[in-house]
Amino acid sequence: MILDHDELAQAIIFFGKDGLISKEMLYSEFEALLDGYVPAQEWAGQQAKATFVEIDSKFRVRTAIFFLVGFTKKGEIEPSWNIPLNQLSNNAMRGPDMGAGPIRLVCASQCPIQYFQESLWDPTLNAKSNQLNAIKKAIQRNKLAVQFRDNPDEELAPAHYSGPSSEQLEKQISKELRNEYAKEFRDHMAQMLKDQRLRTATILNDSQKSIASLKIEHSARIEEYRGLLDDKNRALQEEKDRNAQLKDTIEGQAKKIEGLREYFEHKLEKLEGEGESHASVLKENYQAEAEAKVEAATTELREMLQMREVELLYRNEQESQLRDEIARLRKQNQALLTHSGDELLNHMVAKGISFVSYQPGAGHITIPVADIASYMENPVAYAASQCGVAEELYKAWLEHYQAPVCTAQDDEGNLCSENIPRIANPADFHCGDQDRCNEHKELNSGKNLKLVSG
């Protein structure tokens, strides 16, 4: 590839999972990837970290844009990828000096268009692994075989000096050198400050991502433990109710048996004078009838328990069949939505149209073609997944976000309705804590209060 001396060469550099450069290509080759002519099998089904660079005729980096690009299972770039590299380059901010003065730099912590910030990444700038230095060395090696034509106007003209004496000339040169060194020192210090700010912004961005990930994990664990606790409490209450029913049944049978015993004892007392033989017969009859009653009561209880077990088994089978039927209908619905709208949606994406939805807590979400059906089926669940929280937690947070008041109730059903701070991030929200005022928080209130749920 041969360019004029005043042109800038454009290239794409890919980084592997180890943070080292794994592949270099000219921008024209990357455009062939975008058009689907040449798939990249080594990135199939993965998301790659790439850098768009512009190079001058002295093989110095002038522009660097650090962006993410996803690949399909066939090794083709995902159709929803639409990062305007040239537009970002034109609006880029100043970055470190890589040999030709401050470069134009675009990354996650220094993005001129905030809409594309989630599609960018920050380079590593520490002493052990400085990815900007790696890019600089790769460009100087010139594996891409980029060539520039010589500048025909670049000639060395002889210098002719005349005029002041050598002493005056020495003073003048000394003064100019001091001014030049002072200017270079100021420029060097200013560039060092800019580099330090970039490193600080990169470290801060990584820290915020780590904190957000830990918050999401902590929130998920809290919700999981709450769910387990609710299941245990429900099971315990069911066992208490079942034991109470059995106790009532046994007490009723015991009362019946006690009544029969009193009845036969009374008959025995009347017939004692009729002889021991008659009394013995009556006692045997009494014992036989009592045993028969006890056996009948026991059999009745066993039958009741067996019937309950059969009913539970039948209900479980019905629930399983209904779940299978719902799953089948959902798959059919998904297939219909996918096949009926695939051609139109892909055509719209090919024309540069993106599907963006605003959801509280998640902000503006770019929806890939493959996710449109699931988004239309349940936008709330889709927004919850984008925020990294469960759907029930997202719904509870949404009620709080729309009306940030204390939701505690007293025993008479009266709402507290005290104004409380609004939690902007669903991952930071916990039921019973952020939706309560300081007096009614579950962790420090001993009153009998309950949360109102919509």
Side-chain angles (χ1 to χ4, degrees):
M1 180 178 183
I2 303 176
L3 301 170
D4 289 335
H5 70 279
D6 57 350
E7 288 186 298
L8 294 177
Q10 296 180 335
I12 303 293
I13 298 176
F14 287 91
F15 287 86
K17 294 182 179 179
D18 55 1
L20 302 178
I21 294 176
S22 62
K23 190 173 183 178
E24 303 173 37
M25 65 173 63
L26 297 173
Y27 187 71
S28 57
E29 298 177 53
F30 184 70
E31 288 180 326
L33 271 178
L34 287 175
D35 295 335
Y37 293 118
V38 183
Q41 294 298 334
E42 66 270 24
W43 294 104
Q46 302 180 41
Q47 186 180 59
K49 289 183 176 181
T51 306
F52 169 79
V53 295
E54 290 184 331
I55 313 160
D56 63 11
S57 60
K58 295 183 180 180
F59 296 97
R60 299 174 300 188
V61 177
R62 307 303 296 268
T63 304
I65 301 176
F66 295 83
F67 64 95
L68 299 171
V69 55
F71 290 85
T72 64
K73 294 181 179 179
K74 295 181 180 180
E76 300 173 349
I77 294 180
E78 292 180 350
S80 59
W81 188 89
N82 60 347
I83 301 177
L85 297 176
N86 291 326
Q87 184 180 359
L88 290 174
S89 175
N90 294 333
N91 293 277
M93 292 176 276
R94 292 162 62 91
D97 186 356
M98 296 184 67
I103 65 170
R104 292 184 295 180
L105 176 66
V106 177
C107 58
S109 58
Q110 187 169 302
C111 180
I113 304 176
Q114 294 301 316
Y115 178 77
F116 297 103
Q117 185 176 16
E118 295 298 327
S119 301
L120 304 177
W121 61 285
D122 286 322
T124 303
L125 301 177
N126 54 45
K128 294 183 179 179
S129 175
N130 192 317
Q131 291 175 324
L132 287 178
N133 288 340
I135 293 173
K136 180 179 179 180
K137 293 177 182 179
I139 296 304
Q140 291 174 349
R141 286 194 298 266
N142 194 22
K143 288 186 177 181
L144 299 173
V146 179
Q147 297 181 14
F148 293 90
R149 297 183 181 91
D150 294 333
N151 184 2
D153 299 329
E154 189 176 21
E155 297 179 356
L156 295 175
H160 301 280
Y161 297 96
S162 63
S165 64
S166 60
E167 183 179 353
Q168 293 175 342
L169 184 61
E170 183 179 352
K171 290 181 180 179
Q172 182 180 357
I173 292 174
S174 177
K175 182 179 180 181
E176 290 177 355
L177 286 175
R178 282 197 299 270
N179 293 337
E180 183 67 22
Y181 288 150
K183 181 179 181 300
E184 288 184 1
F185 178 75
R186 289 194 299 271
D187 293 343
H188 181 67
M189 290 299 296
Q191 189 61 43
M192 287 181 63
L193 288 174
K194 290 177 182 177
D195 293 348
Q196 190 62 33
R197 290 193 192 101
L198 177 60
R199 288 190 177 91
T200 303
T202 302
I203 294 172
L204 179 61
N205 192 28
D206 293 341
S207 300
Q208 289 175 347
K209 289 181 180 178
S210 300
I211 292 172
S213 176
L214 290 174
K215 284 183 178 180
I216 292 172
E217 182 181 357
H218 177 66
S219 178
R221 287 187 178 180
I222 289 177
E223 294 303 320
E224 180 182 358
Y225 293 151
R226 285 190 174 181
L228 291 174
L229 183 61
D230 292 341
D231 293 341
K232 294 294 183 183
N233 289 335
R234 265 196 306 272
L236 180 61
Q237 187 61 40
E238 290 176 357
E239 289 295 330
K240 287 182 179 180
D241 295 341
R242 190 179 298 109
N243 289 337
Q245 292 177 357
L246 292 175
K247 183 178 179 181
D248 293 341
T249 303
I250 292 172
E251 288 178 353
Q253 297 296 333
K255 288 181 181 180
K256 289 182 182 179
I257 294 171
E258 181 65 22
L260 290 172
R261 186 183 64 78
E262 292 177 356
Y263 169 73
F264 284 109
E265 285 180 352
H266 182 67
K267 287 185 68 176
L268 285 173
E269 288 176 359
K270 288 184 177 180
L271 297 173
E272 279 183 354
E274 298 180 2
E276 292 183 358
S277 59
H278 194 113
S280 176
V281 172
L282 289 177
K283 284 182 179 180
E284 291 177 358
N285 290 338
Y286 161 72
Q287 291 177 354
E289 290 185 10
E291 291 176 356
K293 293 291 184 181
V294 171
E295 181 66 23
T298 304
T299 303
E300 183 180 357
L301 288 175
R302 287 200 189 107
E303 290 177 352
M304 289 173 63
L305 290 174
Q306 290 176 355
M307 289 177 62
R308 183 173 182 82
E309 291 177 355
V310 171
E311 289 177 357
L312 289 174
L313 180 61
Y314 178 69
R315 187 182 65 183
N316 290 336
E317 289 179 355
Q318 284 186 327
E319 289 179 354
S320 177
Q321 292 175 358
L322 288 173
R323 282 195 295 270
D324 293 342
E325 181 67 16
I326 291 171
R328 184 182 65 81
L329 291 174
R330 282 180 176 172
K331 288 180 180 179
Q332 289 181 355
N333 186 33
Q334 180 72 18
L336 288 173
L337 289 174
T338 301
H339 294 305
S340 62
D342 245 8
E343 184 177 352
L344 176 60
L345 293 176
N346 288 329
H347 183 67
M348 292 173 71
V349 170
K351 293 297 184 181
I353 298 175
S354 298
F355 299 92
V356 180
S357 173
Y358 177 82
Q359 294 294 334
H364 289 88
I365 306 172
T366 300
I367 305 173
V369 174
D371 294 346
I372 289 178
S374 59
Y375 171 80
M376 294 177 65
E377 181 180 356
N378 193 341
V380 174
Y382 189 88
S385 67
Q386 292 295 313
C387 294
V389 298
E391 181 180 357
E392 296 302 323
L393 178 61
Y394 182 82
K395 289 181 178 179
W397 169 83
L398 192 58
E399 293 181 4
H400 160 76
Y401 185 82
Q402 294 171 347
V405 296
C406 179
T407 57
Q409 284 187 351
D410 57 18
D411 294 335
E412 298 178 356
N414 298 319
L415 270 175
C416 173
S417 298
E418 182 71 19
N419 291 331
I420 58 176
R422 176 183 281 119
I423 304 302
N425 188 357
D428 297 334
F429 179 76
H430 303 292
C431 294
D433 191 8
Q434 275 80 14
D435 58 347
R436 300 291 184 89
C437 63
N438 291 332
E439 182 181 357
H440 294 147
K441 287 184 183 293
E442 288 185 349
L443 297 178
N444 57 14
S445 177
K447 299 181 180 180
N448 184 18
L449 299 170
K450 57 184 179 179
L451 177 64
V452 178
S453 63

